[in-house]
Amino acid sequence: MDRTAEFRRWKAQCLSKADLSRKGSVDEDVVELVQLLNGREPYFTTSSCAGRIILLDGDINGFEVQKQNRCWLLVTHKPCVKDDVIAALKKANGDAILKFEPLILHVQCRQLQDAQILHSLAIDSGFRNSGITVGKRGKTMLAIRSTHGLEVPLSHKGKLMVTEEYIEFLLKIANQKMEENKKRIERLYNCLQHALEKENITNSRPKEKIKDKNKSSYTRKKKRNPEEAHSKCFTEENVKECENDDDLGISVTIFPEDY
């Protein structure tokens, strides 16, 4: 079986499976992006979370908070209010942690070149922690993710260690991060849609005949200036949103399979 046929088989199997996530369905803020990707031949999504605010309870294992074996006191994909957190904290018996987790989207790509194109769009849209994994069986996975998360301990052994005023302050920051996360998702969707429309226009044009027979059909691709590549991706309505971004460069990070 050739690679293209095998990829189509993987895609059909994945999209036919039941959603085994806690929610059991794709998050509202990422539905259109998921549908756009799954409707294109070179891509399909394997898992997604649009971003969420969660309150976890349990024991902190070293310096890293593990979601496994912890009690989920609160989870929301929308802005959160103080009263909901205070009510959830009353159920805490261990070390309660308030977290904001931005978008995480795993996309399997037909080949490395397809992954690099989508990776470039993700970086331009603000998801600067995105990376590509190439597996031994030829599976090319792209993880679209960002770095603007939040993780703060609120209680220890069931005892609240901060004031309600501080919780309200944290939620203000978390909700701002949620709003920024939503803007980045919309930016990625617009970038991807714009790139696909441009591709369709290019493919619909008749190929020009080469007048000079001695001219080689191979032309070395000129290395793109990162700023030029960035400007080509964005539509006019979201250029202003990106003017304050500090890193406009485009890079491709290849993570090992067991990253």
Side-chain angles (χ1 to χ4, degrees):
M1 184 182 295
D2 61 61
R3 284 290 177 86
T4 301
E6 190 173 27
F7 175 81
R8 288 173 180 169
R9 181 177 61 82
W10 287 335
K11 181 172 183 176
Q13 287 179 347
C14 182
L15 298 183
S16 64
K17 291 180 180 178
D19 191 326
L20 299 178
S21 64
R22 283 175 173 264
K23 186 180 177 183
S25 62
V26 178
D27 297 333
E28 180 182 347
D29 289 339
V30 81
V31 166
E32 291 186 347
L33 178 59
V34 168
Q35 290 177 342
L36 183 61
L37 285 167
N38 288 335
R40 303 300 298 185
E41 175 67 25
Y43 307 111
F44 66 92
T45 59
T46 60
S47 65
S48 66
C49 178
R52 61 191 177 186
I53 296 173
I54 57 177
L55 184 64
L56 302 172
D57 184 38
D59 295 326
I60 298 178
N61 183 16
F63 295 99
E64 187 175 356
V65 177
Q66 300 287 343
K67 291 194 284 286
Q68 293 83 359
N69 302 321
R70 294 183 68 93
C71 179
W72 293 56
L73 300 176
L74 175 71
V75 56
T76 176
H77 296 84
K78 301 294 182 182
C80 191
V81 295
K82 182 187 72 174
D83 290 344
D84 291 341
V85 174
I86 296 298
L89 279 170
K90 293 179 180 179
K91 304 173 186 176
N93 297 314
D95 300 328
I97 305 291
L98 179 70
K99 297 186 69 176
F100 166 71
E101 297 177 334
L103 169 78
I104 176 69
L105 180 63
H106 291 101
V107 185
Q108 187 165 336
C109 308
R110 182 176 54 190
Q111 55 188 4
L112 182 58
Q113 182 180 1
D114 299 317
Q116 289 172 329
I117 292 171
L118 187 54
H119 178 271
S120 180
L121 296 177
I123 294 294
D124 283 348
S125 301
F127 298 99
R128 306 192 187 284
N129 198 31
S130 300
I132 300 170
T133 303
V134 180
K136 295 178 180 178
R137 293 182 58 195
K139 287 187 178 181
T140 303
M141 297 292 301
L142 170 65
I144 298 176
R145 53 199 174 194
S146 187
T147 58
H148 67 298
L150 179 70
E151 183 177 304
V152 183
L154 299 182
S155 71
H156 179 57
K157 295 182 179 179
K159 180 182 178 181
L160 187 63
M161 305 299 291
V162 298
T163 64
E164 291 190 12
E165 183 180 7
Y166 184 65
I167 292 175
E168 190 170 14
F169 168 71
L170 288 176
L171 288 176
K172 182 180 179 181
I173 295 175
N175 290 335
Q176 288 174 346
K177 288 178 177 289
M178 179 76 80
E179 185 62 29
E180 172 60 25
N181 181 69
K182 186 175 180 179
K183 289 180 180 179
R184 294 186 186 189
I185 293 173
E186 293 172 352
R187 195 184 302 168
L188 176 57
Y189 177 84
N190 291 332
C191 268
L192 179 59
Q193 193 173 47
H194 180 71
L196 294 176
E197 288 174 355
K198 188 174 180 181
E199 180 188 13
N200 290 337
I201 293 173
T202 302
N203 292 339
S204 64
R205 290 176 181 171
K207 295 181 179 180
E208 296 181 2
K209 294 181 179 180
I210 301 176
K211 295 181 180 180
D212 187 358
K213 295 181 179 180
N214 295 325
K215 186 177 180 179
S216 172
S217 60
Y218 171 78
T219 304
R220 183 176 181 180
K221 187 176 180 181
K222 184 179 179 181
K223 186 176 181 181
R224 292 191 304 171
N225 184 301
E227 293 184 0
E228 291 178 357
H230 181 271
S231 64
K232 289 179 182 178
C233 172
F234 287 99
T235 53
E236 294 180 1
E237 58 267 21
N238 45 34
V239 167
K240 292 183 180 179
E241 297 179 9
C242 305
E243 289 178 348
N244 295 327
D245 284 355
D246 53 356
D247 179 14
L248 301 183
I250 296 176
S251 62
V252 176
T253 304
I254 308 294
F255 293 126
E257 187 178 19
D258 57 351
Y259 178 83

